[in-house]
């Protein structure tokens, strides 16, 4: 993942973590020197200094032991016992201090191993003492037992950690070499003291003395050459002192004597020269060590100063950086949050609000709707100023687009109104022509023109719905549901493939008739268009608890589940109409019409493989009784109940297929007398189950819907008037008439039905106005 994908908080946190890590590394580098200094001080006080005391006591005890073996005494005298006690005390102090927690923590692994080795070697002194007291060892082996302990101590000195200052570390190694040379001088002293006590200088002892004295002189001269000026001057003073000169002369005499003879010096001469020379040499080593510590003190002070600077001031700088980073990041995030909230407010509230208000025709003040946001003069402020420009441009473009869409809707509405007016005039002309025409062939062509005009009217009303307006086609009174569905079928091109099932004795209130007809026509047209031409589309309806349900089922290829879900969502929550989204204008029209009357339209899969559309009309739009509902909110006008003759004339409703329905053949019945203002009577389609009534009423009777009962009309085609009454209402034999004759009669039948209903509605309106 790239760094730019991380948030501001993450980047600031990473920066602070890296800063703290850098400070920790610098502090540890400085602290390590301080730790080394503290560790060296701890090791010096806990291991080196106790070892030096033990070293001095071992040198004294070694000389006394060799002298005792030279004299042949088996029982230790008081001087030996006191010396052994002092050695044991020093050994115990070294064991306690060298094994303490602080020394163990300060010492590294090699030093710890050398300390443990020295302590184990020092414990062997007990066995060496017993061997010396029992006389089981000679002077050389006795001296070697002490030499092993001393050598383990010097190996421990070699492993002591030195300071990082190379010069001081070199001087420390030089002083350690002088101390080791002093040890060889002490060994030569013990050897000579044992020989003087015995009174015999064996050849092996003489050779060992020569080796020890020569190595001591060589080591001192080599170390003195590396001493600093002050220490070198002290060494030169020691080397030229009288006692050292006497010691060198005695060493030369002993080295030059012949083997097998007693020592060439006396015990008194040897002690008088050796002890002051060794004491002054030990003082020289001690003073050099003190001067070395004094020279290392500034380095230790520098380490402490660097530790304070890197630790204290560095920590203060890190804390200040953290505080500055947090406050800066907080201010930055606050400004970015303000900018983000302003962007969300623009996209979620202001832009849609401005577009909606402009769509409603309101005047919008862009300067008031888009106030400038103040983000300061820094870099974020410059981004905020750029955002102010962006939002002003966005609001202006949105306003222009909204104005453009409103203009397009106005253009669509204007074109639709003009087209609608022309279609209405065309339908009026066709009605007049159908009333005057008696030729079946001419009636068939007029019916085709009439059907095309009706479909053109629906398309014009689609444009009106898309523009957000309401079509002018309305009804004042309730209409039977079956007539509503038939009106929808009249607006469908391939209506002969639609099977109409029983719809029940239900009426639809007048204010919703036009929109429901339009909605059903769109759905039926869609079902017919997307199903094979050899299949039927079934339309059925029934009352339910929440209103009235109309189901339109086709047997086509159906739709995918995701398409059904998307279309149902689009119908339930219709989006804003866009010119580019013209793929499914029918569903958009359906959603707008359903939203206008709170009608629920749901698409679902059909068990026959096609699609079933469920249209739920709310209870407020349907009525069980035929009483029409007044549109002005007043009491409903109740129509008279059906008479017995009318009830007998109305046959039960059964399923009828518009494609296979045949007009009844019957002889023309005598026309009843009617007043001059009586409208043309509307023919009612015959039902297949019930035979035609043998006799006609002598008075004009009306159905429950306000329409007169069917009587023969003068403008029907001769083929519909000259049939014998013995012929049944529906023909079972298709060979008696040709398809052209059937289509001609069906066209005449539908035209007469529409004309009769129109005249009946006009008559009822005139009667209601006359009564008022």
């Amino acid at each position: 993942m790239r760094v730019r994908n991380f948030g501001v908080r993450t980047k600031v946190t990473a920066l602070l973590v890296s800063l703290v890590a850098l400070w920790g590394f610098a502090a540890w580098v400085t602290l390590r020197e301080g730790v080394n200094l503290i560790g060296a001080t701890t090791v010096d006080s806990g291991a080196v200094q106790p070892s030096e005391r033990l070293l001095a006591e071992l040198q004294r005890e070694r000389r006394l032991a060799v002298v005792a073996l030279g004299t042949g005494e088996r029982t230790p005298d008081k001087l030996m016992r006191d010396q052994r006690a002092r050695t044991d005390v020093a050994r115990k102090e070294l064991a306690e201090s060298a094994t303490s927690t602080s020394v163990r923590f300060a010492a590294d692994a090699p030093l710890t191993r050398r300390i443990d080795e020295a302590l184990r070697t020092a414990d062997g002194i007990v066995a060496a003492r017993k061997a010396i007291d029992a006389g089981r060892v000679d002077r050389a082996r006795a001296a070697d037992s002490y030499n092993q302990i001393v050598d383990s101590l010097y190996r421990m000195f070699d492993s002591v950690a030195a300071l990082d200052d190379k010069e001081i570390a070199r001087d420390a190694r030089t002083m350690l070499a002088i101390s080791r040379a002093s040890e060889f001088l002490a060994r030569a002293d013990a050897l000579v003291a044992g020989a003087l006590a015995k009174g015999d200088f064996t050849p092996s002892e003489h050779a060992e003395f020569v080796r020890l004295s020569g190595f001591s002189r060589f080591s001192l001269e080599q170390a003195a050459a590396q001493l600093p000026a002050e220490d070198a001057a002290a060494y030169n003073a020691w080397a030229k002192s009288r006692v050292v000169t006497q010691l060198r002369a005695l060493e030369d005499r002993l080295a030059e004597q012949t083997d097998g003879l007693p020592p060439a010096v006396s015990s008194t001469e040897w002690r008088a020269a050796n002890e002051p020379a060794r004491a002054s040499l030990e003082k020289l080593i001690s003073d050099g060590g003190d001067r070395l510590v004094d020279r290392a003190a500034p380095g230790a002070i520098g380490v402490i100063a660097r530790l304070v600077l890197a630790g204290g001031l560095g920590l203060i700088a890190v804390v200040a950086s953290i505080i500055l980073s947090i406050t800066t990041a907080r201010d930055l995030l606050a400004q970015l949050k303000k900018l983000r909230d302003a962007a969300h407010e623009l996209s979620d509230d202001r832009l849609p609000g401005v577009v909606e208000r402009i769509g409603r025709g309101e005047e919008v003040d862009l300067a008031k709707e888009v106030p400038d946001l103040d983000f300061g003069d820094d870099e974020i402020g410059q981004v905020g100023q750029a955002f102010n420009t962006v939002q002003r441009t966005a609001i202006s473009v949105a306003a222009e687009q909204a104005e453009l869409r409103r203009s397009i809707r106005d253009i669509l509405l204007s074109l639709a109104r003009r087209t609608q007016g022309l279609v209405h005039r065309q339908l009026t002309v066709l009605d007049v022509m159908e009333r005057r025409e008696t030729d079946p062939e001419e009636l068939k062509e007029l019916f085709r023109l009439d059907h095309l005009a009706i479909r053109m009217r629906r398309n014009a009303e689609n444009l009106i719905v898309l523009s957000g307006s309401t079509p002018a086609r309305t009804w004042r009174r309730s209409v039977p549901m079956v007539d509503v569905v038939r009106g929808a079928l009249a607006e469908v091109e391939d209506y002969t493939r639609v099977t109409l099932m029983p719809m029940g004795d239900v009426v639809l209130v007048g204010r919703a008739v036009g929109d429901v007809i339009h909605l059903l026509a769109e759905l039926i047209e869609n079902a017919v268009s997307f199903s094979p031409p050899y299949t039927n589309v079934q339309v059925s309806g029934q009352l339910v608890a929440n209103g009235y349900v109309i189901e339109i089922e086709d047997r086509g290829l159906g739709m995918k589940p995701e398409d059904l879900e998307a279309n149902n969502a689009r119908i339930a929550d219709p989006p804003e109409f866009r010119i580019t989204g013209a793929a499914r204008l029918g569903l958009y029209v359906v959603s707008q019409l359903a939203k206008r009357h709170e009608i629920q339209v749901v698409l679902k899969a059909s068990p026959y493989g096609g699609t079933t559309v469920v249209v739920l009309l709310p209870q407020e739009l349907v009525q069980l009784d035929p009483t029409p509902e007044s549109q002005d909110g007043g009491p409903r006008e109740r129509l008279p109940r059906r008479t017995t003759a009318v009830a007998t004339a109305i046959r039960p409703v059964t399923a009828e297929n518009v494609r296979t329905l045949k007009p009844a053949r019957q002889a023309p019945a005598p026309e009843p007398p009617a007043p001059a203002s009586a409208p043309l009577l509307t023919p009612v389609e015959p039902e297949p189950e019930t035979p035609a009534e043998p006799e006609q009423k002598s008075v004009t009777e009306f159905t429950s819907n306000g329409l007169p009962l069917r009587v023969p009309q003068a403008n029907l085609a001769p083929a519909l008037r000259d049939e014998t009454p013995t012929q049944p209402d529906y023909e079972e034999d298709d060979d008696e008439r040709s398809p052209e004759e059937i289509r001609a009669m069906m066209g005449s039948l539908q035209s007469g039905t529409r004309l009769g209903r129109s005249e009946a509605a006009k008559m009822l309106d005139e009667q209601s106005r006359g009564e008022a």
Side-chain angles (χ1 to χ4, degrees), residues 75 80 82 89 130 183 363 370 375 386 419 437 545 592 636:
T75 303
M80 175 64 76
D82 293 342
V89 171
K130 292 180 180 180
E183 163 62 18
E363 295 293 334
V370 191
F375 293 96
T419 304
E437 186 59 50
Q592 293 296 327
R636 292 185 302 173

Side-chain angles (χ1 to χ4, degrees), residues 297-532:
I301 294 174
V303 170
I304 296 174
R306 289 194 299 271
L307 180 61
V308 171
L309 291 176
L313 297 181
L315 180 61
I316 294 175
V318 168
V319 172
S321 300
I322 291 175
I323 295 175
L324 181 62
S325 300
I326 291 176
T327 54
T328 303
R330 184 180 300 170
D331 296 340
L332 179 63
L333 291 176
Q335 290 180 309
L336 291 177
K337 182 177 180 298
K338 183 179 179 181
L339 188 61
R340 182 196 63 189
D341 295 340
H344 282 302
E345 181 183 1
L346 175 66
S347 61
D348 299 339
D349 298 331
R350 281 191 286 173
L351 270 180
V354 169
V355 172
E356 182 179 0
R357 290 166 57 188
I358 293 178
R360 293 196 302 263
E362 299 181 9
E363 295 293 334
V364 177
D365 186 3
L366 297 182
K368 182 178 180 181
E369 294 294 333
V370 191
D372 289 341
L373 301 177
D374 185 13
F375 293 96
D377 298 329
D378 54 0
E379 288 77 4
I380 301 298
Q382 296 175 5
V383 175
Q385 295 173 5
F387 175 75
N388 290 332
T389 304
V390 170
Q391 71 172 354
R392 283 194 300 268
T393 304
I395 290 289
S396 300
V397 172
E400 293 176 0
Q401 292 296 323
E403 185 68 27
L404 177 61
R405 287 196 295 270
R406 190 180 66 176
S407 300
I408 292 176
R409 287 198 300 267
D410 293 341
I411 293 174
L412 290 178
L413 181 59
S414 177
L415 293 176
R417 294 296 187 190
R418 295 179 182 182
T419 304
Q420 191 180 33
L422 294 176
V423 171
H424 280 302
R425 292 173 60 186
Q426 182 180 0
L427 288 174
T428 303
V429 173
L430 288 175
D431 286 339
V432 174
M433 294 176 64
E434 288 173 357
R435 293 178 61 183
R436 291 200 303 260
E437 186 59 50
T438 58
D439 185 8
E441 294 296 332
E442 295 297 331
L443 282 175
K444 179 179 69 175
E445 297 300 329
L446 290 175
F447 172 71
R448 290 177 59 188
L449 291 176
D450 186 274
H451 190 63
L452 291 174
I454 293 175
R455 291 172 57 200
M456 291 174 59
R457 180 180 61 187
R458 178 162 62 89
N459 291 332
E461 291 178 353
N462 284 344
L463 294 178
I464 296 175
V465 173
L466 293 178
S467 64
S469 300
T470 303
R473 190 164 55 115
T474 58
W475 274 256
R476 295 182 58 190
R477 296 183 180 274
S478 302
V479 177
M481 193 63 68
V482 65
D483 292 339
V484 172
V485 178
R486 287 172 177 168
L489 293 179
E491 299 183 3
V492 177
E493 179 181 5
D494 203 2
Y495 66 92
T496 57
R497 291 175 45 208
V498 180
T499 301
L500 183 61
M501 303 300 290
M503 306 300 294
D505 193 7
V506 178
V507 295
L508 181 67
V509 296
R511 68 174 184 274
V513 170
D515 292 337
V516 173
I517 290 176
H518 194 168
L519 184 147
L520 294 178
E522 290 291 341
L523 294 176
I524 296 173
E525 180 79 32
N526 187 73
V528 171
S529 300
F530 292 95
S531 60

Side-chain angles (χ1 to χ4, degrees), residues 52-98:
E52 291 176 349
R53 289 192 294 269
L54 177 61
L55 176 62
E57 298 299 334
L58 286 173
Q59 289 174 350
R60 296 187 184 99
E61 184 178 345
R62 177 179 58 192
R63 189 177 191 279
L64 292 175
V66 173
V67 171
L69 289 174
T71 58
E73 295 180 1
R74 297 293 182 89
T75 303
D77 57 2
K78 184 178 183 303
L79 185 61
M80 175 64 76
R81 290 195 300 271
D82 293 342
Q83 182 58 47
R84 287 180 176 179
R86 289 191 295 270
T87 303
D88 290 339
V89 171
R91 182 167 61 90
K92 185 178 180 180
E93 290 178 355
L94 175 62
E96 291 178 354
S97 62

Side-chain angles (χ1 to χ4, degrees), residues 90-225:
R91 182 167 61 90
K92 185 178 180 180
E93 290 178 355
L94 175 62
E96 291 178 354
S97 62
T99 56
S100 63
T101 305
S102 59
V103 174
R104 293 291 183 181
F105 181 78
D108 54 4
L111 179 59
T112 303
R113 289 195 301 268
R114 295 296 173 83
I115 291 174
D116 295 338
E117 179 186 356
L119 293 177
R120 287 193 303 269
T121 307
D123 292 338
I125 195 173
V126 178
R129 288 172 180 174
K130 292 180 180 180
I132 293 171
D133 294 341
R136 297 192 298 269
V137 295
D138 57 4
R139 295 192 304 274
R141 292 179 61 186
D144 187 62
S145 299
Y146 289 96
N147 294 340
Q148 291 179 2
I149 300 175
V150 173
D151 290 339
S152 66
L153 294 177
Y154 274 104
R155 286 193 296 270
M156 182 186 69
F157 294 158
D158 292 335
S159 299
V160 174
L163 295 175
D164 292 338
D165 193 329
K166 295 181 180 180
E167 184 178 357
I168 295 177
R170 183 192 63 189
D171 294 342
R173 289 193 297 268
T174 302
M175 296 306 296
L176 184 60
I178 294 176
S179 176
R180 186 177 288 274
S182 175
E183 163 62 18
F184 285 108
L185 185 61
R187 291 182 182 182
D189 173 54
L191 180 62
V192 172
L196 291 174
K198 180 67 175 175
D200 183 14
F201 211 14
T202 61
S204 60
E205 290 177 343
H206 182 266
E208 182 66 17
F209 172 76
V210 173
R211 186 183 67 84
L212 291 174
S213 61
F215 186 79
S216 175
R217 289 184 183 185
F218 177 78
S219 298
L220 286 174
E221 292 176 359
Q222 291 291 326

